Amino acid sequence: MSIEHENKATMDAIMMITLRTPNSSLSIPPTPFSFSLSNTQLIPAEKHTQMAREKSNGLYLSVPSFFKCPISMDVMTSPVSLCTGVTYDRASIQKWLDSGHNTCPATMQVLQSTDVVPNLTLRRLIRVWSDSYLLRPESHASFNNHLAFDSIKKLINNEQTQGLSLGTLSSIVSFAKLSIENRESLAKLDGFVPMLARNLKTSNEIEVVELLVTALDLILPEQGVKEQLIKLNSDDSSLSPFSFVLQNGGLDARVSAARVLESLAAFDNESRRVIADQSTLLKELYRLTSSETDLKAVETGLSTLIVVSTSRQSKKELVRLGIVRTAGKILSGPENTAPLIEKFMKILEMVSTCTEGRTAISEDENCVSAVVHRLMKVSTAATDHGIGVIWSLCYMSRDRTAQEAAMRNNGLTKVLLVMQSNCSGTVRQMCGDLVKVFRVNSKSCLASYETRTTHITPY
C-alpha cells in the first residue's frame, strides 16, 4: 500500500473514531455562528465559510469545517481546546483571552478555567489531510488553487503522450469528493471529461479504471457531462470498462459503475438500448442485486436494472438470470427497508408483462404470497407495484395457481382495503378487476357473505 493510500486510510479511521466518541477532545462548535474579533459581532458560519473559500480560475478548495478556527476561520496550525470542549487555534484564542474576555467565543459560556489543552487528535487529522487529500503533482509540492488548476490543464494538454497515473487519479477523486463546487469546476474544465473517456478506453489496470469510473460518477450530475460522455462513447465497445469494473472491481467501484450506467440510460434512449443489449452488463447488474449484503449496492443494482430493462428481451434475460427467485426471497424475508421493497416490487411488475416473467412468478412458491403479504404497510409505491403484479397474473393471465396463492394469503381482503384507500384511478380499476376474479373463484366466507340480523332478548 502506498504512503498516500495509507495516510488516507489512517485519516478515515481516526475521523470515524474521533467523531463517534462523545468525550473526544475533537469538538465542533455547537452553534451555527462564529465570532469575529475584528468587529465583535456574530456572523453566520455559512457566510463566513463562503468568505473563507478561495477561488482561483473557477477551481475551489473546500476545507472541512472542523479544521477551521471558529474565530479566524483559517485552518488551525495549533488546535487547543477550552474547558467547554470547543477547539480553537492557539493564537486566536490566546488573543481573545488576553483582551480580557472570560467567555467561550462560540458558546458564550462563562469559562470556569482559561487553561487550554492541545488537541493532538485534530492536529494529526489536519496534517494527514494536508498531505493526502489535496491535489498535487508528482513532485508532492504543496497545494494551492493555482497549482491545482494548472496541474489539471497540463494533464489535459499532455494526454496524447502520457496517461493518468494511479496517484494523480486518486488525488482528483479526493478533490472531487471535497465539495459540490469542486465537482462543478472539474465538470466545466474544457477537456476534462474527454480526458477521462480516453483513459477509460486505453487503460487495462483495474485500479485505474475504478478511479476513472468513480470520477465520472462524481461529476456526472453536473450540467453537460452526460452529453459529452454519450458523444464520446457512441459505440458498443465504450461499455467494456464498465463491464470490467462490474466483473473485477471492488464494491464501491461497482456501485459507481452501475450509477453511471443508470444515468446514461435514463438520459438517452439509444444508450439504454445499447446497455440492455449487453447480456454481460445485465448479468453483472443482477449479480450486484443478488450476491451482496450491502443494501446500497442492492438498491443501486435494482435502480439500474429498472431503468435499463424496458425491452421484452431484457426482461426475459432477467427472468433467466433468476430475478424472480431473488425478489421472492427478499420479499418473503425480514427485510423492511421501504426503498428496497419498492424496487423489487417494481421489477416484478416489469417482468410480469411478459409470458416468461408471469410463468416464473407463478411457479415460485414464495413470490405471489410474498407480494400479497407486502401489499400493505410498506409504501404507496410498493402497493401500486404489488397490485400490478397480481393483476397481471390473476386477471390478465387468469393463472389459477397465482389466484389460489393470492386467496390463501387473504388476497381478496387486502385488495378491497387497497381499493378503499386513497389510491390512483388506475390502481382502483385493477383492484376492481381482481375483486371480480377472486369472488368468482373464492369459497371464503367473505365471498358468500349474507347479511342477517340476530335479535338477542336481554335478561
Side-chain angles (χ1 to χ4, degrees), residues 159-171:
E159 182 58 22
Q160 296 299 331
T161 57
Q162 183 180 1
L164 293 174
S165 69
L166 189 63
T168 302
L169 269 174
S170 180
S171 296

Side-chain angles (χ1 to χ4, degrees), residues 1-12 132 136 166-167 170 207 211:
M1 181 183 293
S2 66
I3 295 176
E4 182 177 352
H5 284 79
E6 184 177 1
N7 284 341
K8 181 181 183 299
T10 302
M11 180 182 178
D12 291 341
S132 304
R136 57 181 186 238
L166 189 63
S170 180
E207 293 86 357
L211 288 171

Side-chain angles (χ1 to χ4, degrees), residues 226-454:
K226 296 185 186 72
E227 292 89 340
Q228 290 186 68
L229 195 59
I230 290 171
K231 186 177 180 180
L232 293 165
N233 295 278
S234 56
D235 55 277
D236 293 0
S237 62
S238 62
L239 297 176
S240 299
F242 300 100
S243 296
F244 185 43
V245 171
L246 286 169
Q247 288 174 317
N248 305 291
L251 182 59
D252 288 341
R254 293 167 62 198
V255 170
S256 292
R259 279 200 294 252
V260 172
L261 292 173
E262 179 185 358
S263 296
L264 295 178
F267 182 78
D268 180 65
N269 290 333
E270 180 61 21
S271 296
R272 182 190 305 131
R273 183 195 65 77
V274 173
I275 294 170
D277 288 345
Q278 298 281 333
S279 59
T280 302
L281 283 176
L282 290 180
K283 179 181 178 180
E284 293 304 322
L285 289 170
Y286 166 71
R287 189 165 69 93
L288 197 62
T289 70
S290 60
S291 62
E292 302 293 348
T293 56
D294 188 285
L295 292 182
K296 182 181 74 171
V298 176
E299 285 189 39
T300 303
L302 284 171
S303 296
T304 309
L305 286 175
I306 288 169
V307 173
V308 168
S309 306
T310 56
S311 66
R312 186 174 185 276
Q313 186 60 38
S314 59
K315 293 173 186 176
K316 288 172 59 177
E317 181 64 17
L318 284 183
V319 173
R320 188 190 68 79
L321 289 170
I323 194 67
V324 171
R325 181 174 60 255
T326 300
K329 182 179 178 181
I330 296 295
L331 294 177
S332 60
E335 180 57 53
N336 287 316
T337 306
L340 190 64
I341 302 302
E342 288 175 9
K343 288 179 174 62
F344 271 116
M345 288 285 219
K346 172 63 176 178
I347 209 154
L348 282 178
E349 184 183 23
M350 291 173 63
V351 300
S352 70
T353 60
C354 68
T355 304
E356 293 80 3
R358 290 192 294 270
T359 301
I361 295 172
S362 176
E363 292 177 351
D364 189 283
E365 58 182 14
N366 294 321
C367 211
V368 175
S369 58
V371 170
V372 174
H373 175 71
R374 296 285 189 170
L375 275 180
M376 310 297 293
K377 298 181 180 180
V378 177
S379 68
T380 301
T383 299
D384 293 352
H385 297 321
I387 290 294
V389 175
I390 299 170
W391 183 81
S392 292
L393 271 73
C394 299
Y395 179 76
M396 289 297 292
S397 295
R398 305 286 172 159
D399 190 299
R400 290 288 299 178
T401 303
Q403 291 173 1
E404 291 171 2
M407 291 302 299
R408 281 197 305 270
N409 288 274
N410 210 17
L412 177 55
T413 302
K414 291 191 174 183
V415 169
L416 286 170
L417 290 173
V418 173
M419 194 175 183
Q420 294 169 12
S421 68
N422 189 27
C423 61
S424 66
T426 302
V427 171
R428 184 172 285 107
Q429 179 62 50
M430 289 192 288
C431 287
D433 295 337
L434 287 170
V435 168
K436 294 175 185 177
V437 171
F438 289 155
R439 278 183 167 163
V440 167
N441 296 284
S442 173
K443 297 180 181 179
S444 66
C445 295
L446 183 60
S448 58
Y449 179 77
E450 295 180 11
T451 303
R452 295 180 180 178
T453 303
T454 302

Side-chain angles (χ1 to χ4, degrees), residues 57-116:
N57 294 324
L59 198 60
Y60 293 84
L61 169 61
S62 295
V63 180
S65 60
F66 52 92
F67 288 177
K68 299 176 183 178
C69 174
I71 296 175
S72 67
M73 293 307 295
D74 292 327
V75 176
M76 290 180 277
T77 58
S78 180
V80 294
S81 299
L82 290 176
C83 59
T84 57
V86 183
T87 300
Y88 303 89
D89 199 22
R90 183 184 293 274
S92 297
I93 192 61
Q94 196 62 53
K95 183 177 180 181
W96 169 264
L97 296 174
D98 290 345
S99 63
H101 294 94
N102 66 340
T103 56
C104 175
T107 66
M108 299 310 294
Q109 292 177 318
V110 177
L111 298 173
Q112 301 300 318
S113 170
T114 58
D115 294 338
V116 294

Side-chain angles (χ1 to χ4, degrees), residues 123 178 192 364:
R123 185 193 298 177
L178 283 176
F192 182 71
D364 189 283

